[in-house]
Amino acid sequence: MKLLLFDIDGTLLHANGSGRVAIERALADAFDCPVTTESVSFSGRTDPGIMRDILEVNGIAPSMANIGRALRAYESVVLEMGNPDDVTLIPGVPPLLDRLAGRSDVTLGLLTGNLRTTAFWKLEAVGLDAHFAFGAFGSDSGERHKLPPVAVRRAQRHTGHTFVGRDVVIIGDTEHDIRCGRGIGAFSVAVCTGSFTRPDLQPHNPHALFDTLEDGDTFIEQVLAPMS
């Protein structure tokens, strides 16, 4: 049994800038001041880490209390005011997930910096939520390298199987996705469907690198076959 852990933004779907808009609106209301996210990178990062940097850039103390306040405000804006039409699928994702879900030797999960609630809101917006029963999220830890062990423990509870080393596959679109699973010996898959190109990602030495996820045969051949 192989455990495939998917990132969300830039890997499965695009939020098309709606996250920045929601954060700026939420934090402006929560802290009663204008907030900009312009100089803060979101790609491959956890929501707590992103919030810490946004607070600091805007002259707000990045204390744990303020980070928690920011996260709660952002979550409320997304859940209460978010527009599902802002979220779009990345080509090739639905048929690949359907194909993987039909295999008896694969379990699907999530590994994302999103909060759990906003992660499933985005997935539901594009009809992918039913594929994922568990995962590890930014609400579990603000440090991405701590998320793979969390996802593995949840997968073991969910399936009754033990996943070690390259039984675990982490799929994402940034260097952070590539690196985060090294502590558990995971197999890393990078895909160039987010903000980074092949020349950007190749130097970080993923075990497999794809321009898109549209070729399911090649994905299975390069990702699952080497571990069979």
Side-chain angles (χ1 to χ4, degrees):
M1 178 72 72
K2 310 302 178 187
L3 172 62
L4 272 59
L5 298 172
F6 282 87
D7 173 54
I8 293 180
D9 294 276
T11 302
L12 299 178
L13 55 82
H14 291 303
N16 299 303
S18 60
R20 285 186 183 271
V21 173
I23 287 173
E24 289 177 355
R25 177 184 299 168
L27 271 60
D29 288 345
F31 296 97
D32 195 26
C33 65
V35 169
T36 179
T37 64
E38 187 175 352
S39 63
V40 178
S41 171
F42 285 22
S43 297
R45 304 185 60 208
T46 65
D47 283 354
I50 291 168
M51 292 300 183
R52 181 184 61 244
D53 287 359
I54 293 171
L55 293 176
E56 194 168 86
V57 163
N58 286 275
I60 303 168
S63 63
M64 292 301 295
N66 280 343
I67 291 171
R69 183 179 175 187
L71 290 168
R72 290 189 295 274
Y74 165 62
E75 179 182 43
S76 294
V77 167
V78 172
L79 299 183
E80 295 172 14
M81 303 173 63
N83 182 357
D85 290 340
D86 290 335
V87 186
T88 54
L89 279 166
I90 290 176
V93 166
L96 177 62
L97 291 181
D98 288 343
R99 188 167 175 183
L100 293 171
R103 292 178 62 111
S104 60
D105 60 346
V106 168
T107 294
L108 299 179
L110 298 166
L111 197 154
T112 174
N114 283 276
L115 303 178
R116 186 184 187 282
T117 49
T118 57
F120 276 101
W121 183 89
K122 292 177 184 179
L123 292 170
E124 184 177 1
V126 291
L128 297 182
D129 52 307
H131 282 298
F132 301 102
F134 63 88
F137 307 89
S139 38
D140 294 309
S141 176
E143 299 179 65
R144 200 175 189 98
H145 72 275
K146 293 183 178 180
L147 297 182
V150 174
V152 169
R153 287 195 298 272
R154 288 175 178 161
Q156 290 172 342
R157 288 200 299 268
H158 181 75
T159 66
H161 290 277
T162 299
F163 301 96
V164 296
R166 291 196 178 194
D167 293 343
V168 182
V169 182
I170 297 175
I171 303 107
D173 64 295
T174 75
E175 63 182 272
H176 304 291
D177 302 292
I178 297 169
R179 294 201 308 259
C180 73
R182 288 179 177 162
I184 63 168
F187 186 94
S188 62
V189 177
V191 59
C192 307
T193 48
S195 300
F196 300 99
T197 64
R198 181 174 284 267
D200 294 328
L201 297 174
Q202 186 67 70
H204 300 285
N205 300 311
H207 295 105
L209 176 59
F210 301 101
D211 293 317
T212 75
L213 294 177
E214 295 181 79
D215 186 344
D217 289 338
T218 300
F219 182 92
I220 289 169
E221 179 183 349
Q222 293 190 27
V223 175
L224 297 183
M227 301 179 289
S228 299

